[in-house]
Amino acid sequence: MSLISGDQPFDDLNSPQLPVAALLEYAEKAARARNVAEGFIREMTTRVSRDRELDVRGQRRAVKNAIDFYKRKIAGGTIQTDIGDTVDRALASARSLVEVGKSDLARATLRRASEGLSREEFRGERYAAGMAALFERERDIALAAYNADAAAESIIALAEAVHGANRELVIELLSSQADSLFKYGGDQASNAHLAAVVFLLRHLLSLASTSDERGLAQDDLGAALRALGWRERGNARLEEAVAAFRAALEDRTRARAPLDWAATQKNLGATLRTLGEFESGTARLEEAVAAYRAALEEMTQTRAPLDWAMTQCDLGEALLALGSRESGTARFEEAVTAYRAAREEMTQTRTPLDWAMARAGLELAEAHLEYRRTTSGAA
């Protein structure tokens, strides 16, 4: 996502983070064109500035995302419903509180209104609609204010309020919300949404009672941590993602669920490859290659041809990175083999983008191989 163009209050993008005053100046400049309440800007910017995992670009992106989300969901959100006065009054009051930088109080106002609906025995479809309107606005206020944990907690509270002790329906609602947040977080590069997903998935993991549920929750958790780790400084989230995928493999065993096991191996390989590219040495890249090769043992060309081809491309990328850190031509030769295998299933007509990616990878691997042979005197 591109950020606001024009003069910036602080342009040293190599600096770890913006000073709080500079970030606030940036946020206020971005907000003026959108007519966003100053109180909200100050509160949100303070929270963003406390996230030590964001670099300068990450801080600016977080501010831009928060402003966009605020305009769409808070300023643009409805406060007149056909549910009842209790809900409408709470929505209007919450919006006013957010505008003056009191998002915690806004969320508390919505929570009190939800308790009022419960006391009034306001059951049936209107009760569920009222709870959804209140808790989802509570969620959105938290996300706009860069408070991921509070956003996730509101979703959990909604699930419990609407479905009570019905574990299956609670899990269904939490999973659906996590999927929506993950998609938004990925599409809009929103750390707040992805961090809320991580919180939700940890809760879902605590609710899991079977190997299938635990394996799925751990695999999803790994995917969310990996997506968040891409956008943060340091490798902590990526290390957590590796741990989550390895934990998933304890439940998603090859014997019980071979294709699920292979999918998790592929996810593990992708995360290890990312860590390997960030780090020096070859250990992580070697582990990534091993994970991809394991995935290909079950994700075969016959069973899942396109997944097999994509995994071959992933393997080729890992081998290219590994070959650049090793001497000799072996890794580049293996990369060429992997990309050529991928192109057996990827055609320009059926999968044009994947075909182009495989072609580019193959050309790069062949170029590296030729250069290494030339400079090393290999035949």
Side-chain angles (χ1 to χ4, degrees), residues 5 13 136 173 249 261-262 278-279 286 319 331 333:
S5 60
L13 294 181
E136 288 179 0
L173 189 151
L249 290 170
W261 174 85
F278 288 166
E279 299 173 353
E286 289 169 353
L319 288 165
R331 297 298 189 178
E333 290 169 355

Side-chain angles (χ1 to χ4, degrees), residues 46-362:
T46 299
R47 281 208 174 92
V48 171
S49 71
R50 292 173 183 162
D51 189 343
R52 310 321 296 175
E53 299 303 321
L54 296 178
D55 59 13
V56 173
R57 287 186 177 89
Q59 288 179 308
R60 290 179 174 176
R61 183 173 58 235
V63 164
K64 172 68 162 51
N65 284 338
I67 291 170
D68 288 346
F69 195 75
Y70 170 89
K71 286 294 293 183
R72 185 185 307 108
K73 293 293 188 177
I74 310 304
T78 180
I79 58 174
Q80 295 294 321
T81 72
D82 59 358
I83 299 169
D85 289 342
T86 299
V87 173
D88 291 352
R89 285 196 303 270
L91 293 175
S93 178
R95 179 186 293 182
S96 297
L97 288 166
V98 173
E99 289 174 353
V100 295
K102 296 181 178 180
S103 68
D104 289 345
L105 188 54
R107 290 187 293 103
T109 298
L110 295 166
R111 189 64 63 98
R112 284 195 300 273
S114 71
E115 293 167 357
L117 291 187
S118 298
R119 285 195 300 272
E120 294 168 10
E121 298 297 320
F122 195 57
R123 301 302 179 186
E125 291 184 5
R126 291 181 66 222
Y127 170 80
M131 285 298 194
L134 294 168
F135 280 111
E136 288 179 0
R137 182 61 53 83
E138 182 183 334
R139 173 203 64 195
D140 291 343
I141 287 171
L143 288 169
Y146 205 75
N147 192 341
D149 288 359
E153 287 168 351
S154 68
I155 294 170
I156 294 169
L158 170 62
E160 293 172 350
V162 174
H163 297 305
N166 190 322
R167 176 179 165 278
E168 288 73 21
L169 289 178
V170 167
I171 290 175
E172 182 180 341
L173 189 151
L174 295 179
S175 298
S176 175
Q177 290 270 335
D179 288 344
S180 296
L181 289 171
F182 185 82
K183 184 178 187 309
Y184 188 96
D187 291 346
Q188 304 300 323
S190 173
N191 284 26
H193 285 72
L194 293 175
V197 174
V198 169
F199 191 109
L200 280 180
L201 290 172
R202 292 196 193 282
H203 185 71
L204 277 168
L205 186 58
S206 74
L207 299 178
S209 62
T210 67
S211 292
D212 287 343
E213 289 176 351
R214 283 191 299 273
L216 176 60
Q218 289 283 18
D219 191 70
D220 287 344
L221 177 60
L225 286 164
R226 179 171 181 261
L228 190 55
W230 264 104
R231 302 191 177 97
E232 293 186 339
R233 296 189 298 164
N235 294 337
R237 297 285 194 179
L238 295 174
E239 296 283 6
E240 291 181 68
V242 168
F245 288 131
R246 292 198 192 283
L249 290 170
E250 295 179 10
D251 287 294
R252 284 186 153 186
T253 63
R254 186 175 182 179
R256 290 183 61 257
L259 287 180
D260 288 342
W261 174 85
T264 299
Q265 288 283 9
K266 181 180 178 181
N267 290 336
L268 175 61
T271 311
L272 288 165
R273 189 182 83 219
T274 300
L275 277 169
E277 290 169 350
F278 288 166
E279 299 173 353
S280 59
T282 61
R284 295 291 196 177
L285 293 173
E286 289 169 353
E287 290 182 85
V289 167
Y292 285 135
R293 292 199 191 282
L296 289 167
E297 292 176 13
E298 293 293 344
M299 196 179 288
T300 63
Q301 187 174 8
T302 302
R303 251 179 174 173
L306 289 180
D307 288 336
W308 172 85
M310 287 300 300
T311 306
Q312 290 283 7
C313 282
D314 293 337
L315 174 60
E317 285 190 46
L319 288 165
L320 271 174
L322 193 53
S324 68
R325 298 182 186 180
E326 295 180 346
S327 59
T329 61
R331 297 298 189 178
F332 293 138
E333 290 169 355
E334 292 173 49
V336 167
T337 299
Y339 282 118
R340 284 178 177 168
R343 294 191 68 194
E344 293 176 15
E345 293 295 338
M346 294 176 176
T347 66
Q348 189 172 9
T349 303
R350 185 172 60 163
T351 56
L353 293 179
D354 294 338
W355 175 85
M357 180 183 68
R359 177 181 177 181
L362 177 59

